Amino acid sequence: MKRYFILLIIVLFSMQLSAQEWVVAPAEAALKSPFAFTDSTRKAGEVIYVANCKSCHGDPGKNNVIQLVPIPPDAASVKMQANTDGALHSKLIQGRGAMPSFKNTLSSTDLWRVISFMRGFNPKYVQEVAVPTIGSASAQNVSIKLNWNKTSGQVEALLTSLKENIAQPVAGAEVKLFAKRFFGNLPIDEARKSDALGKVSFNFPKDLPGDSIGNVQLVVKLTDEVAFGEASAEANLTVGVPTNRPALTDQRSMWGVLEKSPVWLIFAYVLAVLTAWGFIAYVVLQIRAIYRAGSKE
Amino acid sequence: MASEVNTDFLQDKKLDSIAADILRPVGITQGFVVWMGFLGVSLMGCIYAYYIQWDKGLIVTGLRDYISWGMYIANFVFFVATSLVGMLISSVLGLIGFKWVKPIARIAEIIAVAFAAVAGLVIVSDMGRPERLANVILHGRIQSPIIWDVTVVTTYLTISILLYFLPLIPDLAISKGRMNHTPKWLQNMYEVLSVKWQHTPEQYRLLLKAIRILLILIIPTAFAIHTVTSWLFAVTLRPGWDSTIFGPYFLAGAFVAGSAAVVIVMYFIRSNYKLDKYLTNHHFDMMGKLLVLVSIVYLYFNINEYLVPSYKMKTAEAIHLHDLFVGEYALMFWSVQLLGLVLPIILLLFSFFRKPFSMLVISIVVLIAAWFKRFLIVVPTQDHPFLPMQYVPKAWMVYQPTIIETAITVGTLLLVIIIITILVKFFPVIPIWEMAEEQHELDHKSQK
């Protein structure tokens, strides 16, 4: 009986631990940055860190993190630095709980840049750079063009790369399509591979709200940055539903300025004030009448 | 209130003795001078504290970015609450026809005037730049409950002053010939304020009509004043304030505080002025019953206000409730609920405790608890904003009232006591004409 009890405690205790630990699959943990971390990657990483991470993780080494549950570790902390580069990369892509996923917000290259910035706070860190995979169908300097195919109702991307100054189609490269939102990017359709002509066709929803004339800012990105390098393109295409929402402060509202206050409120307020003070004025007149009546006697 | 007055009581001998009883304490006595001297000197200290705040700004208080409503606002809510009793007693109970409120009505009105008048000053004390006070109106937005609050406090104060003044007019006229023991300026003041009152039926008709209008008008105004005060909190999306019953909850609490205040003032008037004949044990007994009634209603609202959210325990709400029930504020919270509400209800159910002295003790406890209750409504909620507190010194995350702040708050209380003392000392506290009229009617009935 006693043994069971101890066992139970051990099991519960380890469950507790595993609930807190954030484990990454070994293959992902083994991932390495395709480029070496230098001062310039750290600089670029700092900009990304300040814009996307600082609000929660604070300044590295200062321990001024936000008080969430669980607590976001300080970037310079042992806990953070104990991760392999691949583990950090994977956690940034996955996210967990309050920690957002940056899968659709930051490119893989940007993620490595942030990691290079965080590694700058660990003097013991020695980087291992990924060995480029030999024989992969890699093409460098890929450029992408976005188009709207009215007849098929699809958004098409054309992938080319320059070989001896001639544009060649890039086949078999995976790309993703996004629409830009106020924060981050909205994924559209699935990741698709380019065909032999370097073409990718994305199904596009018919009800995506655009701006006043239906324009939507689209972003397309290569996913396999190791094989093809970093490439993305943006285009403003008239593919959305024209949306003409007046600004929130245009109409009369409870949150507007005085001139934009709701009519019913002005009416109710003025009516209440006039009623109350009307009666008060009437009472004051009665006092005057009492005085007059007394003076006559 | 009757719509007509039989002026026969003016010829009744009883009027002389009633007027003599009630007017005896009026005027400047040695006790008054000593008491006012004490209040005045204490007030000077508090005014000095305010001078420091005026000079240095709100940094001398415990208020910071996160907890920006502290003792001052709690005190403001307490003042507004206490002043509501004027409406409850003279208006609601009077209009229903309870005769026993007659000698108490003016006391309730005095409390209403004193607390409502100083409530406005309390708000000014919470301002870092009081010299910009006019901006509240000049740049006010009609959508803001603060504007509604300013409007309604002013209206309530005006009506309360009129409701104090109008029933006083016949008394001022009656007193005129009987004030030889008082200073000349006071007699002149009576002459002016009595607006040529001659006790003519016409004047009584006008007077009663005006009073009647005010008695009805003050009911919605009083409801508005405290409901709007509660909205200052309830329209803010925050745990502890985000409640739909805040209006009635505040009103019920107001009547508890106000009734207790009336009992306290009644007790001191009765014992200092020897007015046992007019403020009888029966009046204390009735006030005790009233206090039980309003306390039970308030308890009911408290149960609603805390039980429902604590059954659901939404995350943010849970942190707040935890603070109140078992955390930082637990001692204050349970003292207020048990000593200030549950215990008085139990005790006052027994007529034994509805005697003047025990009523005084109970009322003092209830009134102190009422003050801390407002503190519990205002402050703990701000300890836990929805967005976490960040990048500020540790000291800014907690609220610790300073001595200066406390002194200014005490000063506002002294001011209330000074106003009450002056009104109670320079004017008859019990309506002479209403007492004489009632007595005359009683005698007449028994003769028949």
Side-chain angles (χ1 to χ4, degrees), chain B residues 79 110-111 114-119 122 410-422:
Chain B
F79 276 25
I110 288 174
I111 289 175
F115 278 97
V118 183
V122 175
V410 170
T412 57
L413 272 171
L414 290 175
L415 218 52
V416 169
I417 299 176
I418 288 175
I419 295 178
I420 294 179
T421 307
I422 289 176

Side-chain angles (χ1 to χ4, degrees), chain B residues 147-160:
Chain B
I147 289 296
W148 312 342
D149 210 43
V150 171
T151 313
V152 86
V153 169
T154 330
T155 311
Y156 183 76
L157 177 62
T158 312
I159 300 177
S160 293

Side-chain angles (χ1 to χ4, degrees), chain B residues 128-147:
Chain B
R129 301 291 299 265
E131 75 276 12
R132 297 183 181 170
L133 180 63
N135 288 359
V136 174
I137 306 294
L138 294 180
H139 303 286
R141 290 167 57 252
I142 198 179
Q143 298 101 312
S144 162
I146 291 186
I147 289 296

Side-chain angles (χ1 to χ4, degrees), chain A residues 10 13 66 71 105 188 198 208 213 223 228 260 267:
Chain A
I10 292 174
F13 193 66
I66 196 174
I71 285 200
T105 346
I188 293 194
L208 194 80
I213 51 168
T223 56
F228 296 98
K260 292 272 168 71
F267 178 75

Side-chain angles (χ1 to χ4, degrees), chain A residues 31-50:
Chain A
L31 211 67
K32 295 182 183 89
S33 161
F35 54 84
F37 296 164
T38 61
D39 275 348
S40 82
T41 64
R42 276 187 282 275
K43 272 249 164 62
E46 179 172 6
V47 175
I48 301 164
Y49 182 90
V50 168

Side-chain angles (χ1 to χ4, degrees), chain B residues 103-288:
Chain B
I104 304 176
R106 190 169 291 164
I107 296 177
E109 225 43 76
I110 288 174
I111 289 175
V113 169
F115 278 97
V118 183
L121 283 183
V122 175
I123 286 294
V124 176
S125 77
D126 191 57
M127 293 180 167
R129 301 291 299 265
E131 75 276 12
R132 297 183 181 170
L133 180 63
N135 288 359
V136 174
I137 306 294
L138 294 180
H139 303 286
R141 290 167 57 252
I142 198 179
Q143 298 101 312
S144 162
I146 291 186
I147 289 296
W148 312 342
D149 210 43
V150 171
T151 313
V152 86
V153 169
T154 330
T155 311
Y156 183 76
L157 177 62
T158 312
I159 300 177
S160 293
I161 291 175
L162 285 172
L163 256 186
Y164 170 70
F165 173 62
L166 286 179
L168 191 66
I169 295 175
D171 276 4
L172 295 172
I174 291 173
S175 313
K176 262 190 276 174
R178 311 170 203 260
M179 299 271 291
N180 297 329
H181 60 294
T182 61
K184 192 90 191 106
W185 60 264
L186 189 61
Q187 295 179 29
N188 291 340
M189 192 148 112
Y190 273 42
E191 179 65 45
V192 174
L193 288 179
S194 62
V195 291
K196 294 245 169 2
W197 186 263
Q198 310 284 352
H199 300 285
T200 66
E202 166 71 359
Q203 283 183 320
Y204 270 111
R205 197 183 56 76
L206 291 168
L207 184 74
L208 292 184
K209 184 170 69 175
I211 292 177
R212 214 179 169 74
I213 289 173
L214 291 176
L215 285 179
I216 294 167
L217 185 61
I218 200 164
I219 296 176
T221 313
F223 269 68
I225 184 179
H226 218 38
T227 306
V228 169
T229 306
S230 83
W231 286 350
L232 296 179
F233 304 93
V235 297
T236 312
L237 182 62
R238 284 204 151 189
W241 293 349
D242 185 15
S243 159
T244 55
I245 62 162
F246 246 40
Y249 171 56
F250 270 45
L251 271 172
F255 295 148
V256 175
S259 304
V262 168
V263 171
I264 296 170
V265 177
M266 260 168 78
Y267 183 88
F268 285 108
I269 288 176
R270 169 179 144 123
S271 60
N272 285 342
Y273 289 3
K274 314 263 173 311
L275 290 175
D276 322 31
K277 236 196 286 175
Y278 305 91
L279 300 171
T280 62
N281 285 2
H282 174 64
H283 291 108
F284 281 89
D285 186 60
M286 293 309 278
M287 280 307 293

